[in-house]
Amino acid sequence: QLYAHLIPETFTNLLTLVGVTVILFTMNAKLALLTCIPIPFIILAGWDFSRRIRPVFRNVQKSVSAMNTQLQDSCSGMQEIRAFGQESREAQKVNERVTDFTYHQLQSLYKGATFHPWVEFLTSLGTVIILGVGSYLAYKGGVSSVVTVAGFLLYLGLFYAPITSLTQLLEQAQNALAGAERVIEILDTPVEIR
């Protein structure tokens, strides 16, 4: 996931962002600077989200592992479970693992569902700032024409789209890193049978 999607998409989004930023500053430097107002808030929100979501993804990875282990044990020992009449006990164990996984997965979805709308709000706020200030400048003659403001607003979609995409890639990166940490944790576990 990291090599196949995250790295190429991050590079593409950063390249698009740089290109559109150059165009925006060429069109009107004042409006371009105003466009950048939400960026520090998005970066801060992304940092906070990363800090909060990684432990949740770690718990998801651990609960998936526990659930798969329990299912494997139950399936491989099915004859013994039936022979000793322990079907309900084993079903209860599997159910507990599934419930634990569901809880952690829902936590991760909740955190993502609160972060991404916040980013959308901030990018929309940037558009509102440009619309308001650009209209005012066009009215007072500070911008060459209303057409410039309209063109600028069209480029804003191209400016904020890579930023939104980068925040989505941030979530995927945190998930991938939590998975990698889990793999390393398993590989570093000392062997008990020698």
Side-chain angles (χ1 to χ4, degrees):
Q1 185 182 23
L2 179 66
Y3 296 114
H5 298 289
L6 292 174
I7 293 173
E9 287 183 33
T10 300
F11 178 74
T12 303
N13 285 316
L14 288 174
L15 191 62
T16 303
L17 186 61
V18 168
V20 172
T21 303
V22 168
I23 292 170
L24 290 176
F25 273 95
T26 304
M27 288 176 72
N28 188 306
K30 286 180 190 176
L31 292 178
L33 284 172
L34 291 172
T35 301
C36 296
I37 288 174
I39 302 298
F41 298 106
I42 293 171
I43 291 170
L44 184 63
W47 174 80
D48 184 56
F49 176 70
S50 296
R51 188 177 58 79
R52 292 174 187 257
I53 196 70
R54 176 95 61 89
V56 174
F57 281 143
R58 282 185 197 124
N59 290 335
V60 169
Q61 294 294 330
K62 287 179 183 177
S63 64
V64 165
S65 174
M67 181 178 64
N68 287 339
T69 300
Q70 185 62 51
L71 285 170
Q72 172 63 30
D73 289 348
S74 296
C75 289
S76 64
M78 189 61 70
Q79 290 179 345
E80 291 82 7
I81 292 169
R82 285 186 179 159
F84 292 104
Q86 298 296 314
E87 293 94 341
S88 62
R89 190 185 96 200
E90 288 300 312
Q92 178 63 29
K93 286 182 183 179
V94 169
N95 211 9
E96 288 171 5
R97 300 292 185 227
V98 170
T99 302
D100 187 50
F101 166 72
T102 303
Y103 172 77
H104 292 298
Q105 186 66 26
L106 287 174
Q107 271 192 322
S108 72
L109 292 172
Y110 174 76
K111 291 202 183 302
T114 55
F115 170 66
H116 295 295
W118 178 245
V119 170
E120 291 293 331
F121 169 75
L122 290 171
T123 58
S124 297
L125 186 63
T127 303
V128 169
I129 291 169
I130 296 306
L131 186 59
V133 174
S135 299
Y136 177 76
L137 290 176
Y139 176 72
K140 292 293 185 178
V143 177
S144 59
S145 70
V146 174
V147 175
T148 303
V149 176
F152 206 88
L153 286 170
L154 291 174
Y155 273 109
L156 280 183
L158 294 174
F159 179 76
Y160 288 128
I163 292 171
T164 302
S165 181
L166 285 169
T167 60
Q168 292 169 349
L169 290 173
L170 176 67
E171 183 175 8
Q172 292 175 12
Q174 294 305 314
N175 195 4
L177 289 171
E181 287 174 356
R182 181 70 180 144
V183 169
I184 291 169
E185 180 183 322
I186 291 170
L187 292 175
D188 287 347
T189 303
V191 178
E192 294 178 3
I193 299 174
R194 293 182 188 241

